[in-house]
Amino acid sequence: MRLPRTRPRSLAGQLFAMQVVLIAAVVAGCAVFAYVSGSAQAEQTATRQVRAAAVAVADSPSVREAIRTPDPSAVLQPYAEQVRRDTGIAFVTIMDTERRRWTHPDASLIGETFLGHTEEALRGETFTETYTGTLGPSIRVVTPVRDGDRIIGLVSAGITVDRVSSQVREQLGALALAAGGALALGGLGTYVINARLRRHTHGMNAAELSRLHDYHQATLHAVREGLLMLDGQRRIALINDAGRELLGIAPETEALGRTVDELALPAPLTGALLASEARVDELHLTAEGVVVVNTRPVVGGERRGTVVTLRDHTELQALTGELDSERGFTQALRSQAHEAANRLHTVVSLIELGRVEEAVEFATAELELAQVLTDRVVGAVEEPVLAALLLGKAAQANERGVELELAEDSLIDDGALPASLAQRDLVTILGNLIDNAVDAASEGDSHGAAGTVPAQRTAAQGGGRARVTVTALADDRELLLRVSDTGAGIGPKEADEVFRRGWSTHGAGRGLGLALVRQAAHRNGGSVELDRAPEGGARFTVRLPLGDRTATKVTA
């Protein structure tokens, strides 16, 4: 029968076991060290104690006087016993130079030979030894009794080893109690800490945490959406590769720990990232593209940070613009087909009425009118994308009652534009500028261009048909695209705001065109200029370098 596979102990449990073992080892080591050092200290203390007693007795004048008497024991025995009781040592033995005892705790041993060494003391030295005498093993000190320069006796004071050991055993009990308390306290503290760790790690073991980290890193690098996490101080706590790319943060730049303000992002995008409330599917421009921003605060009793997701909307925005253009072209073709049918019916009716010459004259005039702009565009602009865009926009403008004309000095030879200049950016720049100009020209006095406000029309505007003039000129150095209109123009106070995303008088969801124009120009190292057209409306001039690209300059 196969036993079920047991789950490894959690990381907190493993750390708890390791810490308990470590604390026990440390406490045991400290206890052993304290015991050894305590034993040595007890022995040293006992040695100092008996040495002091022996030297004090040997230096006593009464001892020297008693030694000179015929019966020294009569005086010295009571004195030695008094000293022994007062100092708490095992014995104080006073003897002559022949090692014959004058005093002893056991009075029956007085007069017998001292058991121990006396050679060093007879040479005038005080020494210590451990020796087994009549009272058992003892630590003893032997010192001479001097009468001037002559040694007249010896004094030995000692304490038994058993008494020293008993003192150490008393200390060991207190030491064991302290060690047990330290072990219990350390174990309790370790348990509390590891309980907290277990909550934070959700009971996972080291292998599971390692796997989770690996999956976490793989997911961050694999997901195509940008992910940005901010802590409570608005500092970057986490950012993946897609987030770096969408925000324009170089891979070698250290982003973690920096605040959002330090990333040099556009002000609206910075405001969205720092907002305390949630943001849902907001469009924002970066230096290189369009991103959709979603933010969600992380709240757990207090604000802990913000989770931000970023989606690249650049391609979708470009495709949406192209789709709008195609839809406009379709509507224009449908309208032209309707108008062509009306004109054809007119020609047929004139022929049926027998007015053939008038029918030919009407048809010829219509053909000439439709062919003038086509011939002008095809002759001056040999770049097929721009030529097609101008013809399509001309049809759209005509449907709205606006005349789109190509300036006389326009000229773009075939092959003049390098392959590095993206055709999609050309469509974005020129298409949005023409759309805004047509809006401004068609609205006349009542409204300005998309993202503009009404302004006083000049005398040059009065009475004439709404018109948009396009200049497209390329030389060896740069491509110039200029679009002017006969609309209301843009006031000086609004000139700095027209390129900001969302600034428009056409309602929510508008005001992105001019921001995209500036972004596309920036992406190609160009500049955008805004001033007043001779007709009184707005005039936008875009310059794109065809050689080395330079830094972007936006002026108004």
Side-chain angles (χ1 to χ4, degrees):
M1 179 178 177
R2 187 175 181 181
L3 295 176
R5 185 178 179 182
T6 59
R7 183 173 181 267
R9 187 187 295 271
S10 67
L11 177 63
Q14 294 177 10
L15 289 178
F16 177 73
M18 292 174 59
Q19 289 171 341
V20 168
V21 171
L22 180 61
I23 291 175
V26 171
V27 171
C30 292
V32 171
F33 174 77
Y35 174 75
V36 173
S37 61
S39 299
Q41 185 176 7
E43 185 175 342
Q44 292 174 359
T45 301
T47 301
R48 288 195 297 268
Q49 183 181 4
V50 297
R51 185 185 183 91
V55 172
V57 170
D59 290 341
S60 174
S62 60
V63 172
R64 289 194 294 270
E65 292 177 1
I67 291 175
R68 298 190 190 103
T69 63
D71 186 11
S73 295
V75 177
L76 295 178
Q77 174 66 10
Y79 173 73
E81 287 300 299
Q82 182 65 40
V83 172
R84 181 183 66 81
R85 287 191 296 269
D86 291 343
T87 58
I89 59 180
F91 64 90
V92 176
T93 300
I94 305 173
M95 69 196 86
D96 60 15
T97 54
E98 299 297 329
R99 298 169 59 188
R100 186 168 56 89
R101 298 188 186 103
W102 285 326
T103 65
H104 194 276
D106 186 356
S108 63
L109 298 179
I110 295 174
E112 295 185 4
T113 303
F114 172 76
L115 300 180
H117 300 92
T118 59
E119 292 84 1
E120 295 181 37
L122 292 174
R123 291 196 299 266
E125 299 176 5
T126 300
F127 70 97
T128 303
E129 67 174 353
T130 301
Y131 193 87
T132 302
T134 58
L135 301 179
S138 62
I139 300 172
R140 59 181 62 183
V141 173
V142 182
T143 186
V145 179
R146 298 176 183 272
D147 185 7
D149 295 333
R150 187 168 60 94
I151 297 176
I152 60 175
L154 301 174
V155 176
S156 176
I159 186 170
T160 61
V161 174
D162 289 340
R163 181 175 295 184
V164 175
S165 299
S166 65
Q167 294 175 354
V168 173
R169 284 193 295 270
E170 292 175 0
Q171 296 176 358
L172 183 60
L175 177 62
L177 183 61
L183 182 61
L185 184 61
L188 179 61
T190 301
Y191 175 79
V192 172
I193 293 174
N194 282 274
R196 181 180 179 86
L197 178 62
R198 185 179 294 105
R199 289 196 302 270
H200 286 295
T201 58
H202 303 285
M204 291 186 289
N205 57 49
E208 291 171 334
L209 287 173
S210 178
R211 256 194 326 270
L212 182 63
H213 176 268
D214 293 339
Y215 292 153
H216 173 266
Q217 292 298 317
T219 302
L220 286 180
H221 291 291
V223 68
R224 293 181 60 84
E225 285 193 357
L227 180 61
L228 180 68
M229 294 186 181
L230 307 177
D231 61 17
Q233 285 71 44
R234 305 300 200 278
R235 294 174 305 205
I236 298 177
L238 183 147
I239 185 171
N240 66 349
D241 297 340
R244 283 178 172 273
E245 182 179 354
L246 292 176
L247 294 180
I249 303 175
E252 63 274 8
T253 302
E254 181 58 43
L256 297 182
R258 300 176 62 184
T259 62
V260 175
D261 296 335
E262 299 175 11
L263 299 180
L265 300 174
L269 178 55
T270 300
L273 297 180
L274 297 179
S276 58
E277 70 279 0
R279 301 294 181 93
V280 179
D281 290 341
E282 285 192 358
L283 282 179
H284 287 274
L285 294 178
T286 65
E288 299 294 335
V290 182
V291 295
V292 180
V293 178
N294 285 274
T295 67
R296 174 73 61 181
V298 179
V299 180
E302 59 182 9
R303 182 183 178 87
R304 296 183 178 180
T306 306
V307 177
V308 181
T309 60
L310 307 167
R311 296 199 309 272
D312 189 1
H313 199 67
T314 307
E315 294 293 328
L316 182 59
Q317 188 67 39
L319 292 175
T320 301
E322 292 179 7
L323 180 61
D324 291 341
S325 297
E326 294 296 335
R327 187 181 294 112
F329 296 160
T330 302
Q331 294 174 352
L333 290 175
R334 185 181 297 111
S335 299
Q336 287 182 342
H338 180 74
E339 289 299 317
N342 290 336
R343 295 186 182 101
L344 182 60
H345 290 158
T346 302
V347 172
V348 171
S349 297
L350 288 173
I351 293 175
E352 290 177 346
L353 294 174
R355 309 182 70 168
V356 177
E357 293 183 0
E358 294 181 9
V360 171
E361 183 179 348
F362 178 80
T364 302
E366 289 296 323
L367 287 174
E368 289 179 352
L369 181 63
Q371 193 65 29
V372 170
L373 180 60
T374 301
D375 292 341
R376 178 77 186 96
V377 170
V378 172
V381 181
E382 297 184 12
E383 177 63 35
V385 173
L386 292 182
L389 178 66
L390 287 171
L391 292 176
K393 292 299 182 182
Q396 288 180 302
N398 185 61
E399 290 300 317
R400 299 182 59 179
V402 177
E403 178 184 357
L404 190 149
E405 64 178 16
L406 188 65
E408 293 295 333
D409 57 346
S410 297
L411 179 61
I412 299 179
D413 295 329
D414 188 19
L417 304 183
S420 59
L421 186 58
Q423 294 181 345
R424 177 169 291 178
D425 288 342
L426 293 178
V427 171
T428 296
I429 293 172
L430 190 57
N432 280 290
L433 290 180
I434 292 177
D435 287 343
N436 288 341
V438 170
D439 286 343
S442 63
E443 291 171 3
D445 289 332
S446 60
H447 297 287
T452 64
V453 294
Q456 183 65 36
R457 296 189 58 139
T458 64
Q461 294 175 271
R465 183 184 179 187
R467 185 172 67 256
V468 172
T469 303
V470 178
T471 302
L473 179 63
D475 55 23
D476 295 338
R477 297 174 302 163
E478 67 178 10
L479 169 65
L480 182 143
L481 300 175
R482 178 179 291 134
V483 179
S484 60
D485 59 71
T486 58
I490 298 175
K493 295 181 179 179
E494 290 78 26
D496 294 333
E497 295 292 322
V498 293
F499 296 103
R500 180 173 58 83
R501 185 199 69 81
W503 193 87
S504 174
T505 59
H506 290 264
R510 302 294 298 274
L512 189 61
L514 291 179
L516 291 175
V517 169
R518 183 176 66 172
Q519 184 187 79
H522 176 279
R523 191 160 49 240
N524 291 275
S527 64
V528 182
E529 298 176 0
L530 168 62
D531 58 5
R532 180 172 289 276
E535 298 87 354
R539 180 170 65 179
F540 291 88
T541 303
V542 178
R543 301 178 186 272
L544 303 178
L546 301 182
D548 294 336
R549 294 182 178 182
T550 58
T552 304
K553 180 179 72 174
V554 180
T555 60

